Amino acid sequence: MSIQFRHKPGMVVYLTIGDPDISTSKQIALAAIDAGADVLELGVPFSDPLADGPVIQRASERALLHGTRLTEVLALARELRTERPQAGLVIFSYLNPILRLGLEKFCALAQEAGVDGVLVTDLIVEEAEEYRAAMRRHKLQPIFLAAPTSPDARLEQIAKASEGFVYAISRTGITGTQQQVADGAQQLVERIRRYTKLPIALGFGISSAAHVAAVGAFADAAVIGSAIVAIIEKSTPAEAPMAVAAFLSELGVVPVATGETLAILS
Amino acid sequence: MSKVTATESNPSSAIAGRFGAYGGRYVPETLMAALEELESAYAAAQADPAFTSELAHLLHHYVGRPTPLYHAARLTEFLGGAKIYLKREDLLHTGAHKINNCIGQGLLARRMGKRRIIAETGAGQHGVATATVCALFGMECVIYMGEEDMRRQELNVYRMRLLGAEVRGVRSGSATLKDAINEAMRDWVTNVRTTYYLLGSVLGAHPYPTMVRDFHRVIGIEARQQILEAEGRLPSAIIACVGGGSNAIGAFFEFIPDKSVRLIGVEAGGRGTNLGEHAARFQCGSPGVLQGTYSYVLQDDAGQVSLTHSVSAGLDYASVGPEHAALHDSGRAEYVSASDAEALRATVTLARMEGILPALESAHAVAEAMRLAPKLQRSDILLVNISGRGDKDMGILARELKLQGA
């Protein structure tokens, strides 16, 4: 499969896998896809999530309490791929769990599982040569993050190295919700646009229908992370899938019939 | 970039922030522009005589350099082997070697026009040194410190507050140094445009490991000259404790080309050999990425970073400076560990034999000297870096050594 945005803006949903447990994560993922998520970011919990705010930190801690492993996240991806062939699946991780499994082995397992892309929070383009080669060998799409602080020369490198989409960070800071979409976000997306025809997804701090609508005016997709994880935190495992689906519907996301393709952006 | 270049005799290369396979930059993209700005500002500062002379002036008149190289005659007699010299970094202003780096980076931050300084601290010595420099230069100062460390190094918390710093407690993980670094990095990534991150050890993303090492090179430069003056020859070995490894790299660096000089780093052996009971990265860790750099990391088989333990907060950390990883792999330096109990015994021994109370961190180096000296000849010389003084540890020592009296 491949990463396709069927909505305007496309909807990327981040989940910390293993929070509260793997089987609930699967039900939440299925519910999110059925509610219209174009791409799922399957978050690998890490002991030292230094780019994350308190919400995702707590989710990682809960997932690690029962020892959620990268290999389990990959096994979950395989199940999701079988049950929902159309969904875009991205592994979202810090670098160390991938290194520990072995870069080559990780890529082979991810390919086998039917994963589309990989996003590594603490891997910048300059350090990614070997990683990109392994991704190419296994037909995986590397997605890199672009920041408001990145000068144009870096944005060009990031855009060229990315496949699937470019992840634009709306503001300096860690993950977490905020009142409104940051002022510099549109400017960042426009700067990235000069260097690529790939879709650009905007993330960090997006948590309401108004945010999503604002993002839709200038970006191709919105990433919802902490807001979803916070809903899971507040729900019982049984309620969580429905609560996430209801939240996506509140954001204005509509389900897409399998195989149907609506309004993909150029 | 550093003026130091790789040579055949020196396995450490500063090129592109790599030390052999180790080092590099593993950070969120948001920080990259700041790291590049820092790298070029540091290069410009090094090339500017106004910067280097102000640094030298402050190191002499404010920090108290050079520090003595002291022949520990009674300890030497007691151990009955190699002749022991102590490099007295404990005599520096604020009580530890950390101030060397803080003065350097503080001057750099001022040059860069940054008015807000953040730092992490474990034992509190780096926090105190940072707070001191911020007071000296009139800068805003926020220190992140694990709550466990705030408890066991309480006096340093008071010192930082007295100096005008805000101390922010960190509760996550084991509430020690690693967690404080995570929180400092979260602050930096949020306030990166206005804030200078004054990292306190040879850790993190390039250029920090190289820059912090350069600011501590003065330890080895002085010691090499002093031992040649005192003895007319180089020591058999240099011993230093290794948490992140800043005092050790500072002591080792000038001696790297001197192949006859053994370089011995001492890690925290803690209270046992299971994961979580120590901070012996070279004995029990494996290469990985933590907090910006590729080095040895204590981790489980899924790549999750382990908890650590040491009686000394300054050595209680799951990774180690990448240049030490390279020195380890090349065999140029050796890394051993000393247990909590050995460090406590060494503290008492040095106090009673020489009237010198070392920090619990530095006591790990003394412990190795106590094991090694009796096995060597009287013609051998051991140079032990006393990286800090033990005043901050009095609470722990009173409890562990039952000093409250009958």
Side-chain angles (χ1 to χ4, degrees):
Chain A
M1 282 296 107
S2 62
I3 293 168
Q4 292 189 352
F5 295 113
R6 297 181 177 84
H7 298 84
K8 167 83 181 158
M11 186 55 53
V12 181
V13 169
Y14 168 91
L15 301 173
T16 300
I17 302 304
D19 171 38
D21 57 69
I22 292 271
S23 64
T24 304
S25 287
K26 180 179 173 184
Q27 297 312 314
I28 296 168
L30 291 173
I33 294 166
D34 294 345
D38 297 298
V39 173
L40 283 189
E41 290 179 346
L42 307 176
V44 179
F46 184 50
S47 53
D48 292 271
L50 55 78
D52 285 300
V55 171
I56 294 178
Q57 286 177 48
R58 288 196 300 270
S60 301
E61 280 171 24
R62 287 191 296 269
L64 288 175
L65 270 182
H66 48 87
T68 306
R69 303 170 70 93
L70 174 55
T71 46
E72 292 175 280
V73 179
L74 291 167
L76 173 64
R78 178 199 287 269
E79 292 177 27
L80 294 174
R81 171 55 68 231
T82 308
E83 296 180 35
R84 297 293 186 276
Q86 83 284 7
L89 297 178
V90 171
I91 300 293
F92 192 110
S93 184
Y94 286 84
L95 183 56
N96 200 54
I98 292 175
L99 290 181
R100 186 65 181 179
L101 183 59
L103 189 54
E104 184 61 31
K105 188 174 175 192
F106 164 74
C107 289
L109 289 173
Q111 183 182 20
E112 237 178 83
V115 165
D116 298 303
V118 181
L119 204 163
V120 182
T121 318
D122 52 354
L123 186 62
I124 53 162
V125 176
E126 289 92 329
E127 299 285 6
E129 206 173 309
E130 220 181 308
Y131 163 82
R132 286 170 64 194
M135 297 284 283
R136 264 195 302 278
R137 281 197 295 280
H138 293 280
K139 302 187 168 47
L140 296 165
Q141 299 183 304
I143 298 153
F144 288 91
L145 295 139
T149 50
S150 308
D152 287 348
R154 294 195 59 78
L155 291 184
E156 185 173 7
Q157 282 183 289
I158 289 162
K160 294 214 160 111
S162 295
E163 294 172 36
F165 64 93
V166 178
Y167 188 132
I169 302 171
S170 71
R171 52 164 164 77
T172 62
I174 50 180
T175 56
T177 58
Q178 63 187 20
Q179 290 298 310
Q180 56 188 29
V181 177
D183 285 343
Q186 179 168 358
Q187 200 197 350
L188 173 63
V189 170
E190 283 163 6
R191 286 168 63 219
I192 300 168
R193 197 80 81 187
R194 282 187 241 149
Y195 304 110
T196 185
K197 295 203 181 324
L198 286 175
I200 299 169
L202 188 81
F204 281 43
I206 298 168
S207 62
S208 70
H211 292 166
V212 172
V215 170
F218 60 87
D220 305 305
V223 187
I224 316 284
S226 297
I228 298 259
V229 175
I231 286 169
I232 296 167
E233 182 173 48
K234 279 181 246 150
S235 309
T236 66
E239 294 162 358
M242 285 304 293
V244 168
F247 180 65
L248 288 175
S249 158
E250 249 174 69
L251 294 181
V253 185
V254 291
V256 178
T258 306
E260 187 186 353
T261 302
L262 304 173
I264 299 178
L265 293 146
S266 58
Chain B
M1 296 292 291
S2 167
K3 284 180 230 167
V4 180
T5 52
T7 65
E8 271 184 22
S9 63
N10 176 359
S12 304
S13 159
I15 295 161
R18 286 278 168 185
F19 307 95
Y22 301 103
R25 273 180 177 157
Y26 298 92
V27 291
E29 171 63 23
T30 307
L31 294 178
M32 277 306 297
L35 288 169
E36 286 176 347
E37 180 195 5
L38 178 61
E39 183 178 6
S40 62
Y42 175 53
Q46 276 187 309
D48 180 356
F51 178 84
T52 49
S53 71
E54 186 170 11
L55 177 59
H57 179 88
L58 284 169
L59 285 178
H60 181 59
H61 295 281
Y62 184 74
V63 173
R65 302 213 72 93
T67 57
L69 184 71
Y70 166 73
H71 172 215
R74 286 196 74 217
L75 182 65
T76 299
E77 274 316 301
F78 173 71
L79 295 173
K83 191 169 183 180
I84 296 176
Y85 279 88
L86 307 176
K87 180 62 174 165
R88 299 291 310 277
E89 293 297 293
D90 59 309
L91 292 178
L92 290 177
H93 180 44
T94 71
H97 73 289
K98 293 291 187 188
I99 189 83
N100 298 325
N101 169 50
C102 290
I103 288 280
Q105 287 199 58
L107 283 172
L108 186 58
R110 198 182 65 183
R111 254 179 95 92
M112 293 170 73
K114 307 276 186 183
R115 304 296 306 165
R116 179 175 184 265
I117 306 290
I118 59 169
E120 82 297 339
T121 195
Q125 288 304 124
H126 175 60
V128 166
T130 302
T132 297
V133 166
C134 288
L136 180 65
F137 295 152
M139 292 163 160
E140 183 189 345
C141 182
V142 175
I143 303 292
Y144 290 92
M145 188 170 190
E147 289 190 349
E148 166 64 13
D149 290 340
M150 287 177 74
R151 188 188 58 72
R152 58 181 166 168
Q153 307 278 227
E154 196 180 17
L155 289 177
N156 275 343
V157 175
Y158 300 146
R159 288 171 78 192
M160 287 183 268
R161 288 182 179 148
L162 179 64
L163 288 160
E166 179 192 343
V167 182
R168 295 188 184 167
V170 179
R171 196 172 296 166
S172 58
S174 53
T176 57
L177 179 58
K178 173 170 76 75
D179 313 292
I181 295 178
N182 284 337
E183 214 49 45
M185 289 191 74
R186 290 180 185 122
D187 182 318
W188 197 33
V189 85
T190 305
N191 302 299
V192 61
R193 290 187 173 102
T194 57
T195 296
Y196 184 97
Y197 183 13
L198 208 164
L199 187 60
S201 194
V202 285
L203 298 168
H206 177 64
Y208 284 107
T210 300
M211 179 172 69
V212 176
R213 177 253 278 153
D214 288 350
F215 287 132
H216 286 302
R217 277 180 59 182
V218 64
I219 303 170
I221 291 171
E222 285 176 11
R224 196 171 189 284
Q225 196 181 339
Q226 288 166 323
I227 197 73
L228 287 174
E229 273 166 24
E231 294 284 341
R233 61 200 168 96
L234 294 172
S236 311
I238 297 172
I239 304 174
C241 65
V242 181
S246 64
N247 90 82
I249 209 74
F252 291 172
F253 195 75
E254 293 310 303
F255 295 90
I256 289 174
D258 302 313
K259 291 283 175 60
S260 66
V261 181
R262 289 171 64 188
L263 307 175
I264 304 173
V266 189
E267 301 185 285
R271 60 184 169 220
T273 54
N274 297 320
L275 268 185
E277 294 179 338
H278 59 80
R281 290 72 44 103
F282 288 118
Q283 290 178 35
C284 305
S286 53
V289 164
L290 178 64
Q291 296 172 333
T293 194
Y294 182 62
S295 185
Y296 280 74
V297 178
L298 286 168
Q299 55 183 319
D300 68 14
D301 64 354
Q304 304 297 340
V305 179
S306 308
L307 299 184
T308 52
H309 164 80
S310 172
V311 69
S312 69
L315 305 186
D316 197 351
Y317 181 62
S319 187
V320 61
E323 191 163 11
H324 286 291
L327 290 170
H328 170 269
D329 282 12
S330 72
R332 179 63 192 91
E334 309 155 49
Y335 294 86
V336 299
S337 66
S339 69
D340 287 354
E342 288 174 302
L344 287 164
R345 267 201 302 279
T347 302
V348 176
T349 304
L350 192 63
R352 305 240 166 122
M353 286 292 152
E354 298 289 348
I356 294 170
L357 174 55
L360 278 169
E361 290 76 15
S362 322
H364 286 70
V366 177
E368 171 60 13
M370 287 170 59
R371 288 188 301 215
L372 188 57
K375 297 180 204 156
L376 299 178
Q377 305 299 313
R378 284 179 179 273
S379 56
D380 283 308
I381 298 167
L382 288 183
L383 199 161
V384 184
N385 196 34
I386 305 299
S387 56
R389 69 180 85 129
D391 307 40
K392 70 185 175 64
D393 297 316
M394 282 320 301
I396 298 169
L397 293 171
R399 195 168 56 248
E400 295 287 336
L401 303 173
K402 303 188 172 41
L403 301 177
Q404 282 93 345

